[in-house]
Amino acid sequence: MKQEKDREVYNQKTLEVMKEAKKIARDLKYPSYKTLEELKRALDDSCATNVE
């Protein structure tokens, strides 16, 4: 990342990924979690499901 007179300049790939992250964050079809514990529980459940 470059600095240009008090603002950061990102490369094209970074801008694309940032745009995708913003889209996913607002899309209700993706799960969201209010706490880290909720996320950990979901990951544990997902891993247990994939192992069986």
Side-chain angles (χ1 to χ4, degrees), residues 18-31:
M18 291 168 69
K19 184 177 179 180
E20 181 180 2
K22 187 179 279 191
K23 179 181 171 188
I24 290 171
R26 293 183 176 148
D27 193 334
L28 298 178
K29 73 179 179 183
Y30 295 99

Side-chain angles (χ1 to χ4, degrees), residues 10-11 13-23:
Y10 298 99
N11 67 33
K13 182 67 175 174
T14 300
L15 292 172
E16 291 169 9
V17 171
M18 291 168 69
K19 184 177 179 180
E20 181 180 2
K22 187 179 279 191
K23 179 181 171 188

Side-chain angles (χ1 to χ4, degrees), residues 4-46:
E4 238 182 57
K5 284 194 179 187
D6 299 333
R7 75 182 190 108
E8 298 167 340
V9 178
Y10 298 99
N11 67 33
Q12 187 61 38
K13 182 67 175 174
T14 300
L15 292 172
E16 291 169 9
V17 171
M18 291 168 69
K19 184 177 179 180
E20 181 180 2
K22 187 179 279 191
K23 179 181 171 188
I24 290 171
R26 293 183 176 148
D27 193 334
L28 298 178
K29 73 179 179 183
Y30 295 99
S32 63
Y33 308 96
K34 293 184 181 191
T35 67
L36 188 55
E37 288 305 313
E38 284 183 37
L39 173 60
K40 287 179 182 178
R41 225 178 353 265
L43 288 171
D44 286 344
D45 291 347
S46 174

